[in-house]
Amino acid sequence: MSNDKLRRQIAYEAARMMYVRQESDYYRAKMKVARRICRGWVKPADLPTDQEIRDQIQLLARAGSANPTTAAALANGQRDSQQQVDRFHVYRNLLTPLETVKQHPQRHPEGDALYHSLQVFDLARDALPYDEEFQLAALLHDVGKAIDPRDHVAAGLAALGGHVTERTAWLIEHHAQAAALRDGTLGVRARRRLEAADDFDDLMLLYDCDRLGRQRGVQVPDVDEALEHLRQLAHANGAA
């Protein structure tokens, strides 16, 4: 087996291990896989980088862990056309793993990241009832937490790829900066850039929904109900 092929295989198998939460550490994941594939000692040059594993995790998130054939094809560099992918299926595959993501009990007393995301979505739906892009940002803002908790914003945006609009992506990308702005830790230049943005007011509204969506025992729609609402809203607005 060539070095490049071995690296890809280790990266893919390690990513699958981390994607289903069997392992949380990049080094341990790739060493477990490498020792199994190579049956013992492995050359350091044959080990993938953490970034290579993150890339594979994001591909798995797009394809969905329930479809290993598609995931394997993506891992080998065969990319299906986005026009052939139901974006709502992508959203569902990214949202479902959030149920296993436990959060800091003081900052998030409500519990897992999926319950939080559904609360934020419900608040966003009430705030801007006809704005699909805004509601999508609310629902999907934390999907990266099931992929790479150390940089969940970048991981989530990479996994979403071209399946959200530029505005939705911008709201997701900057929701952490909105929190920093509110608590006074955002730098002066970054604050000025944020305040000059066309969607600044909507970003701060998203922050309010994010902050309020941390209640225990609140009734929320399930994932399928939320996505069906967004699908109908998209059709009403003439979007695919």
Side-chain angles (χ1 to χ4, degrees), residues 130-202:
Y130 304 106
D131 193 333
E132 183 209 350
E133 293 176 320
F134 179 77
Q135 292 176 34
L136 263 179
L139 183 62
L140 303 173
H141 74 286
D142 276 347
V143 293
K145 287 185 176 180
I147 303 171
D148 185 359
R150 293 178 297 181
D151 191 353
H152 77 277
V153 174
L157 288 171
L160 287 165
H163 296 295
V164 293
T165 65
E166 189 174 316
R167 176 169 171 252
T168 295
W170 186 88
L171 290 168
I172 293 173
E173 180 181 1
H174 293 90
H175 78 271
Q177 285 191 343
L181 176 62
R182 279 286 188 255
D183 65 24
T185 59
L186 190 66
V188 174
R189 290 184 180 178
R191 176 175 58 81
R192 287 174 179 168
R193 285 196 298 270
L194 210 60
E195 291 175 341
D198 292 339
D199 291 303
F200 173 73
D201 290 340
D202 289 341

Side-chain angles (χ1 to χ4, degrees), residues 17-199:
M17 185 180 295
M18 296 185 73
Y19 185 68
V20 298
R21 317 296 288 183
Q22 291 178 346
E23 181 57 73
S24 59
D25 182 83
Y26 286 91
Y27 180 76
R28 287 198 300 266
K30 60 188 171 185
M31 288 306 296
K32 285 180 182 178
V33 173
R35 285 168 182 155
R36 174 171 55 80
I37 293 175
C38 301
R39 299 179 181 177
W41 184 78
V42 59
K43 297 177 183 178
D46 292 335
L47 291 174
T49 64
D50 291 356
Q51 184 58 54
E52 287 175 293
I53 297 174
R54 277 195 288 271
D55 290 343
Q56 297 301 329
I57 293 173
Q58 290 160 7
L59 290 172
L60 285 168
R62 292 186 199 179
S65 59
N67 190 343
T69 301
T70 303
L74 286 172
N76 288 320
Q78 302 167 19
R79 306 187 188 279
D80 292 333
S81 169
Q82 286 184 351
Q83 285 80 3
Q84 297 175 347
V85 177
D86 181 352
R87 62 187 176 101
F88 293 97
H89 180 68
V90 174
Y91 303 156
R92 193 182 194 287
N93 285 336
L94 290 170
L95 286 163
T96 302
L98 293 180
E99 192 171 11
T100 67
V101 177
K102 305 305 177 185
Q103 305 184 99
H104 193 288
Q106 291 183 332
R107 294 194 296 270
H108 285 277
E110 75 281 11
D112 64 72
L114 179 59
Y115 183 44
H116 166 68
S117 298
L118 291 168
Q119 283 194 45
V120 178
F121 162 74
D122 217 20
L123 292 164
R125 178 168 58 173
D126 289 341
L128 295 177
Y130 304 106
D131 193 333
E132 183 209 350
E133 293 176 320
F134 179 77
Q135 292 176 34
L136 263 179
L139 183 62
L140 303 173
H141 74 286
D142 276 347
V143 293
K145 287 185 176 180
I147 303 171
D148 185 359
R150 293 178 297 181
D151 191 353
H152 77 277
V153 174
L157 288 171
L160 287 165
H163 296 295
V164 293
T165 65
E166 189 174 316
R167 176 169 171 252
T168 295
W170 186 88
L171 290 168
I172 293 173
E173 180 181 1
H174 293 90
H175 78 271
Q177 285 191 343
L181 176 62
R182 279 286 188 255
D183 65 24
T185 59
L186 190 66
V188 174
R189 290 184 180 178
R191 176 175 58 81
R192 287 174 179 168
R193 285 196 298 270
L194 210 60
E195 291 175 341
D198 292 339
D199 291 303

